[in-house]
Amino acid sequence: MRPENIHVPAPPPMPGPDHGNCKAVASVLARVGDKWSVFVIMMLIDGPRRFNELKRMINGISQRMLTLTLRGLERDGLVTRTIFPTIPPRVDYELTDLGRGLAEPVKSLGEWAIAHLPEIEGARNRFDTRNE
C-alpha cells in the first residue's frame, strides 16, 4: 500500500440537530436492544405480571438480572411497578404507554427472528465450517 492510500478521511458529521444526541440514542438502544429487556417487554404485552411469574416465563434469567432489567425499564419509563398493600405485599409490573409503543416493534423483531432462524443457523454453520 502506498503512503497516499493510508490516509482515510473521517466521515462528515451527521447533519441535523440529532448529531449531539448520538450518545443518548445509543443508551436507549442499548436498553431496548438488550435480550432480557426484549423478553420482559414481550412478556408484559398481554398485561401486568408479578416478578416470579416473569421469572418463570423467561427461561434462563436469574433473579438478579430480572431485577436489574425491570429497574432499568422502569427508570426509562417503559415499565411501572405497582405495590399492593397486602400481606405479603403484591408487586405487579406493567408496560407504560411508552412501553406499549415499543412493544409492537419488539414483537415484530421477535417474529422476524423466529421466521429467519433456520437461515441464520445455516449461515452460522457455514461460517464456522469455513473458519475452523
Side-chain angles (χ1 to χ4, degrees), residues 6-125:
I6 293 174
H7 177 69
V8 179
M14 294 186 331
D18 292 337
H19 178 61
N21 292 332
C22 287
K23 190 174 182 181
V25 169
S27 73
V28 171
L29 292 176
R31 165 74 57 223
V32 300
D34 169 79
K35 76 174 181 177
W36 297 123
S37 294
V38 168
F39 282 128
V40 168
I41 291 166
M42 289 176 71
M43 295 302 116
L44 292 176
I45 286 174
D46 294 329
R49 305 261 186 219
R50 297 177 79 170
F51 183 91
N52 284 329
E53 188 178 6
L54 286 169
K55 189 167 179 333
R56 280 190 303 273
M57 294 172 79
I58 303 171
N59 191 24
I61 192 167
S62 68
Q63 183 166 333
R64 175 170 164 65
M65 185 52 65
L66 180 56
T67 298
L68 292 173
T69 300
L70 287 166
R71 282 185 187 160
L73 291 169
E74 185 179 9
R75 180 175 184 254
D76 288 347
L78 301 169
V79 168
T80 58
R81 179 177 183 259
T82 305
I83 303 171
F84 296 94
T86 58
I87 298 176
R90 176 181 165 175
V91 180
D92 281 357
Y93 294 91
E94 184 175 13
L95 292 175
T96 63
D97 288 341
L98 186 62
R100 281 188 288 280
L102 177 62
E104 280 308 308
V106 164
K107 184 177 176 184
S108 296
L109 181 61
E111 290 169 350
W112 180 90
I114 291 167
H116 293 89
L117 192 56
E119 295 168 72
I120 293 168
E121 288 175 341
R124 287 175 178 170
N125 288 336

